[in-house]
Amino acid sequence: MRVTKFTHSCLRVEGAGVLVVDPGEFSEESVLDGADALLITHEHFDHLDVPAVTAAVARRPDLRIFAHPAVLKLLTEVDQATTAVEPGDEFEAAGYRVRAFGGQHAIIHPYVPVFANLGFLIDDGATNLYHPGDSFVAPDTAVETLFVPLNAPWATIAESLEFVRGIRPDRAFALHDGLVNERGLAVYGKHLESFSETRFTRVTPGSVLD
């Protein structure tokens, strides 16, 4: 499994096939080139770039999109490419086994609407990785590679730390890190490196993780 971290919350997984998670408006356009399937955790613009995804389906009609029904209402132009996913579902996407967890976006504030959100555990038979979307919902199985949200309107670094320490992955990498400057990233990263009890790394966009 070869994983490329793109800007903010987007991952490209290559091996059995090409699987892209959360190609949002902050993501580089190239992330969708040659993709076989997409996983969309939720409907927010930093996780789903609707015009870019629509254009990708036009270029590659076999492209498959897996997301919660609440997300699919935004993708009606390409509904022939979509598959609805609910929490607890297990399915195959681009040659990987995927399990969906959670169901709800983390609370931002009681006055802010709550959106659907799925975390995805991606397994190639030899290893796995977990992308939680905008939540701290933990899967009910061992995680080898965890992508942990580093900064968000709905998150604190204390919650990020507890998320990693609770799951105890073999390794962890920063996710959802496109909203904060380099000084903030250094401070948050230092906390996770020091106290998460696993190997934590913040990698720059374009970094490839084997």
Side-chain angles (χ1 to χ4, degrees), residues 30-77:
S30 61
V31 70
L32 293 168
D33 293 347
D36 298 305
L38 310 180
L39 305 178
I40 310 297
T41 63
H42 65 289
E43 65 188 77
H44 288 158
F45 74 95
D46 54 330
H47 297 257
L48 171 61
D49 184 338
V50 173
V53 168
T54 301
V57 174
R59 293 192 303 270
R60 190 179 177 93
D62 290 340
L63 178 64
R64 302 299 305 164
I65 304 167
F66 299 86
H68 191 278
V71 175
L72 300 187
K73 69 186 181 184
L74 303 177
L75 295 169
T76 54
E77 288 187 36

Side-chain angles (χ1 to χ4, degrees), residues 66-113:
F66 299 86
H68 191 278
V71 175
L72 300 187
K73 69 186 181 184
L74 303 177
L75 295 169
T76 54
E77 288 187 36
V78 293
D79 59 358
Q80 77 283 357
T82 64
T83 299
V85 179
E86 299 280 359
D89 285 354
E90 184 170 352
F91 55 95
E92 183 173 310
Y96 304 94
R97 295 304 302 166
V98 181
R99 292 177 64 194
F101 293 90
Q104 181 174 297
H105 191 288
I107 299 295
I108 298 172
H109 189 277
Y111 296 144
V112 178

